[in-house]
Amino acid sequence: MTGVTAADRAAVAPSAPADLAAAAITLARRLAADVVPDETGAPHWIGDEVDVRADAGGAVLRRGPVDDGLLTGRAGIALALAAAAEHVGDDALAALAAATMTAALAARRRPERHGLGWQSGDLGIAVAAARVAAAIDRPDLDREGRRLASRAVALLATADDGWLPGYPDLLDGSAGHLLAVLAADLPGAAEAYRTAAARRLVRDLRARAVIDDVGARWPMAAGERAVTGLAHGSTGIGLALAAARQAGVPGASAWLVEAAWRWEDAWYSADDDGWYDLRLEEPAVGLAWCHGAPGIGIGAALRSHLGDRDGEETYLRTLRSVGTAGAMLGDGDATLCHGRSGIVELHLAGAEASWGADAATRAEHVRAARAAAAGIAAGVRPDGTTTWCHGVRGGHSPVVLDGTAGVVLTLLRCVAPVAAVAQPPLRAAAASPATAV
């Protein structure tokens, strides 16, 4: 299976690996130049985000320091800097990555309710710490990350319900917590907490499920509608339950996992060649990592690492969807969450899927990823500014999910064995990162 047609191969010539790497390093050095030390001298960055409190329509941007999270803050920026430093042997980038990761870890000395998750909380910061430590040879950061993960898992196992996220999604909801708990690198003494925390999170997801003849869906929050996609929909939640089932967590039953896939499949339109974004009053096909074909395809590819080959047809559908309507994204957004880096990651996930294990299939997907990345790299100016936008609503963001750090990591993944960061952590994902072919 490749899913990459002759037309796809002819449509865009992939950039040479050196060009993609050079663009990534230029962006990383721009990140380094944009650092704003806080009052203690620790590295920090300023970014824009939608201020929903100021405008319920979500149109007002608020500018301020980013948080400490993996996808949303300093930990993810540290990871991008460390990956770039490792790739080119840049001691200055490595030193800034270490200082940034140290600062993010130091800020988590006291645990916070609703601050334990994978997107922005302790479990995601621990993932970043381990990867930064490996990239720049700082085992002390790995030890501190493991301590942070152990504390988070113990709280999820033993603390009152106020420590649970209170909603089900893959980002900082129960599904994301569940995958991070299952994947966390813990000392042996913490293993009992892992089991108890996973059981509790599975119970929470079962209690929040709405099951009918179509399948299983999860409202985004109290009173809100259920949606499709990896970030907030049944794709991500089903993936977490599938990983829990493979790990033998009670309550993560096969029928519930299948019901999640079934509900998501029900919102696929062959006529429109995609999945409807159900946040909209008049649903349209979604093309984003968070709400659309790229994320749904990544979820399908990750299922293959859990022994589920049934996701292959879903993955092929996502390639068709992106090929048919991908031009609708335009060149204005290169980010992971809702831009072209999400499409690059879709192809890289196909290269890493277990049903794409032969060399020819991997080569096709890596080539398609590089072709999709070519336009991103072409929009990077020599000073690290870009022709494409960051963040949302035309704002500027330095972080992984919707900003520069995520683009750095995706470009490097096209040319080097860099682990994906905007994919949920899977303990059973034995496939190595996509490598140059």
Side-chain angles (χ1 to χ4, degrees), residues 27-36 43-47 64-85 93-94 96-101 104 119 124-125 128 132 396-409 421:
L27 287 173
R29 289 180 173 144
R30 183 72 211 190
L31 270 175
D34 288 342
V35 68
V36 179
H44 228 308
W45 280 262
I46 303 298
V66 302
D67 64 25
D68 293 305
L70 172 64
L71 301 189
T72 55
R74 289 194 290 183
I77 294 172
L79 182 53
L81 294 170
L93 287 178
L96 182 55
T100 302
M101 195 69 247
Q119 176 186 234
I125 293 169
V132 170
H396 180 87
S397 172
V399 304
V400 166
L401 192 60
D402 61 6
T404 308
V407 181
V408 170
L409 289 164
V421 67

Side-chain angles (χ1 to χ4, degrees), residues 337-385:
C337 187
H338 36 67
R340 289 198 167 273
S341 287
I343 293 176
V344 177
E345 288 289 349
L346 170 65
H347 289 296
L348 293 176
E352 296 167 357
S354 65
W355 27 252
D358 63 280
T361 296
R362 290 198 304 273
E364 289 289 349
H365 281 299
V366 171
R367 188 187 188 285
R370 290 176 179 166
I376 299 173
V380 179
R381 301 185 182 105
D383 65 353
T385 60

Side-chain angles (χ1 to χ4, degrees), residues 246 302 305-306 424-432:
Q246 188 191 62
L302 291 175
H305 302 306
L306 301 172
L426 283 185
R427 191 180 194 184
S432 61

Side-chain angles (χ1 to χ4, degrees), residues 241-344:
L241 289 168
R245 178 174 179 268
Q246 188 191 62
V249 180
S253 58
W255 71 264
L256 186 57
V257 173
E258 291 302 319
W261 306 148
R262 195 164 64 249
W263 191 85
E264 197 87 334
D265 286 346
W267 291 101
Y268 173 78
S269 167
D271 292 339
D272 291 330
D273 210 0
W275 286 260
Y276 291 124
D277 185 343
L278 300 181
R279 297 172 300 170
L280 308 176
E281 292 302 324
E282 295 184 9
V285 167
L287 290 171
W289 174 92
C290 53
H291 292 276
I296 290 169
I298 288 169
L302 291 175
R303 285 163 58 182
S304 74
H305 302 306
L306 301 172
D308 180 357
R309 295 188 61 87
D310 293 339
E312 186 173 355
E313 178 54 36
T314 296
Y315 182 82
L316 290 172
R317 283 178 171 179
T318 66
L319 292 184
R320 292 194 295 268
S321 182
V322 167
T324 300
M328 292 169 60
L329 281 174
D331 295 324
D333 191 330
T335 63
L336 277 165
C337 187
H338 36 67
R340 289 198 167 273
S341 287
I343 293 176
V344 177

Side-chain angles (χ1 to χ4, degrees), residues 107-190:
R108 313 301 288 195
R109 286 199 178 99
R110 294 177 62 86
E112 300 175 3
R113 287 179 184 267
H114 309 301
L116 305 179
W118 167 67
Q119 176 186 234
S120 302
D122 290 355
L123 288 165
I125 293 169
V127 169
R131 295 185 186 179
V132 170
I136 62 174
D137 192 23
R138 284 289 301 269
D140 58 311
L141 296 177
D142 181 56
R143 288 192 296 272
E144 184 63 15
R146 293 181 72 200
R147 184 198 66 77
L148 195 65
S150 297
R151 186 184 72 186
V153 172
L155 283 167
L156 288 169
T158 63
D160 63 72
D161 287 349
W163 288 87
L164 296 177
Y167 52 96
D169 73 22
L170 184 72
L171 294 183
D172 273 338
S174 289
H177 281 62
L178 176 57
L179 279 172
V181 164
L182 292 172
D185 184 10
L186 303 176

